């Protein structure tokens, strides 16, 4: 009877009960708070399946404006509101009402061109449904053509995406500036804290090598990286790899995209190699 009742209750109501119950136990929550396509599912699974006792929540936004605009986007496409947005809204309410006095945050970055390609493959059936008419080499040709157009038309937006995300989702709510402290490449992760939060930041390109040590530095517990939502496991994996190898952009576009604050700060050593990699 209980399971039947739970299935009939709204997801938001159930999540509110779960989060409220976890907070009453005085466990500091861990927020896997990350922009899309930077390994968040694997990080969330690794933490959730570990022996760490803190409740773990997987969200992309804590800023109410961004939560609301994302909800409007899904409604405009006549699709369901994603679970992470329901959790985001509850976490936002609890944090800004003072019910969550301190949080642990796990976040990650990825060089912006690779991140945008990954996002394209994840979302093309909804955003570019015409590509579903093609398969094999023909699909790859069309995907390269579409991506070249996307990078040409959206270069400024792609450049600023991560910078804006850190401003809206980390600096404004928590007062943590990820650019205020030198990034130690040898350490392999970035650790900051204040009286509201402690954050560990990973580069996805070296995530598997540094995840366990970074999580231990954050919460003092052990966790291993999960394997969910990895591109090599997706149905489009072969095309994804082929398109990444074939895609070449105008050097001026690549340089514009890679002039972001995130790239200049975290990828200074790799920047010239990235320009050569993606330039025609």
């Amino acid at each position: 009877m209980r399971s039947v009742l739970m299935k009939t209750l709204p997801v938001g109501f159930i999540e509110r009960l779960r989060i409220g119950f976890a907070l009453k136990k005085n466990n500091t929550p861990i927020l896997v708070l990350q922009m899309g396509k930077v390994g968040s599912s694997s990080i969330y699974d690794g933490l959730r399946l570990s022996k760490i006792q803190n409740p773990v929540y997987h969200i992309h936004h804590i800023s109410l404006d961004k939560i609301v605009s994302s909800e409007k986007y899904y409604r405009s496409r006549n699709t369901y509101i994603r679970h992470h947005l329901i959790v985001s809204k509850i976490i936002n309410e609890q944090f800004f009402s003072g019910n969550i006095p301190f949080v642990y945050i796990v976040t990650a970055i990825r060089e912006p061109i690779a991140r945008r390609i990954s996002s394209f493959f994840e979302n093309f059936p909804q955003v570019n449904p015409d590509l579903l008419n093609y398969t094999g080499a023909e699909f790859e040709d069309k995907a390269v053509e579409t991506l070249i157009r996307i990078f040409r038309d959206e270069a400024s937006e792609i450049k600023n995406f991560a910078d804006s995300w850190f401003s809206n989702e980390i600096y404004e709510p928590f007062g943590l500036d990820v650019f205020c402290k030198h990034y130690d490449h040898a350490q392999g992760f970035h650790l900051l804290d204040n009286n509201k939060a402690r954050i560990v930041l990973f580069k996805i390109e070296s995530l598997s090598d540094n995840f366990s040590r970074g999580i231990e530095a954050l919460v003092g517990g052990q966790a291993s990286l999960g394997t969910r939502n990895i591109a090599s496991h997706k149905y489009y994996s072969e095309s994804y790899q082929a398109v990444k190898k074939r895609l070449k952009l105008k050097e001026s576009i690549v340089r514009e995209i890679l002039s972001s604050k995130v790239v200049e700060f975290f990828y200074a050593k790799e920047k010239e190699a990235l320009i050569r990699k993606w330039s025609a």
Side-chain angles (χ1 to χ4, degrees):
M1 180 66 182
R2 183 180 177 184
S3 61
V4 173
L5 176 61
M6 290 295 282
K7 288 179 181 179
T8 64
L9 293 173
V11 173
F13 179 80
I14 295 171
E15 287 301 332
R16 199 174 296 278
L17 288 177
R18 287 175 176 167
I19 293 172
F21 178 75
L23 293 177
K24 285 181 180 178
K25 297 171 69 175
N26 295 318
N27 282 339
T28 299
I30 301 173
L31 305 183
V32 180
L33 174 55
Q34 303 182 199
M35 62 192 87
K37 308 315 298 173
V38 290
S40 54
S41 296
S42 296
I43 289 172
Y44 173 67
D45 283 354
L47 289 166
R48 185 174 55 85
L49 298 173
S50 74
K51 294 183 179 180
I52 295 171
Q53 297 300 308
N54 307 68
V56 184
Y57 305 106
H58 178 196
I59 60 177
H60 295 304
H61 302 289
I62 196 168
S63 161
L64 186 59
D65 286 347
K66 296 299 181 180
I67 295 168
V68 171
S69 65
S70 295
E71 288 180 331
K72 288 180 179 177
Y73 170 79
Y74 287 118
R75 289 195 180 99
S76 72
R77 303 189 71 85
N78 295 316
T79 187
Y80 67 95
I81 302 299
R82 301 305 191 260
H83 183 264
H84 67 80
L85 287 173
I86 295 170
V87 175
S88 295
K89 185 172 284 188
I90 298 167
I91 294 294
N92 170 281
E93 293 169 1
Q94 295 290 337
F95 179 76
F96 287 103
S97 67
N99 290 335
I100 303 178
F102 191 83
V103 296
Y104 297 120
I105 300 171
V106 184
T107 195
I109 54 173
R110 187 178 197 173
E111 67 91 349
I113 295 177
R115 196 205 72 84
R116 186 63 183 88
I117 296 169
S118 180
S119 176
F120 167 81
F121 271 89
E122 184 77 11
N123 298 304
F124 80 83
Q126 295 80 37
V127 181
N128 302 98
D130 55 301
L131 292 177
L132 294 172
N133 297 323
Y134 305 97
T135 58
E138 202 172 18
F139 170 81
E140 292 165 14
D141 290 343
K142 293 292 182 180
V144 168
E145 180 183 311
T146 304
L147 280 164
I148 289 173
R149 184 173 67 250
I150 288 171
F151 281 109
R152 181 196 66 206
D153 296 345
E154 301 176 13
S156 178
E157 180 183 341
I158 296 167
K159 167 193 168 182
N160 293 322
F161 178 82
D163 293 356
S164 298
W165 188 91
F166 276 109
S167 177
N168 293 328
E169 308 299 339
I170 301 296
Y171 182 72
E172 290 185 13
F174 302 107
L176 285 167
D177 180 2
V178 298
F179 306 109
C180 74
K181 175 184 173 183
H182 172 72
Y183 173 66
D184 187 345
H185 289 267
Q187 179 172 261
F189 57 87
H190 203 45
L191 192 68
L192 300 166
D193 61 22
N194 61 13
N195 62 348
K196 292 183 179 180
R198 181 183 300 158
I199 182 171
V200 64
L201 180 152
F202 298 101
K203 292 168 69 172
I204 192 173
E205 294 85 358
S206 57
L207 177 62
S208 59
D209 295 330
N210 301 303
F211 179 71
S212 296
R213 291 187 299 105
I215 295 302
E216 186 172 8
L218 180 72
V219 298
Q222 298 289 326
S224 299
L225 193 63
T227 58
R228 184 161 58 103
N229 209 25
I230 295 176
S232 60
H233 297 172
K234 300 293 184 69
Y235 70 92
Y236 53 68
S237 61
E238 289 187 12
S239 293
Y240 174 71
Q241 295 300 330
V243 168
K244 282 203 301 180
K245 288 179 180 179
R246 289 180 52 190
L247 182 66
K248 296 295 179 182
L249 307 169
K250 286 185 177 180
E251 184 176 333
S252 59
I253 292 174
V254 175
R255 287 189 178 276
E256 179 183 358
I257 292 170
L258 297 182
S259 66
S260 71
K261 194 173 182 180
V262 164
V263 172
E264 296 287 359
F265 191 83
F266 291 104
Y267 291 90
K269 290 185 175 182
E270 302 99 317
K271 182 175 177 179
E272 289 304 316
L274 289 170
I275 291 171
R276 290 192 298 271
K277 176 181 178 178
W278 297 116
S279 296

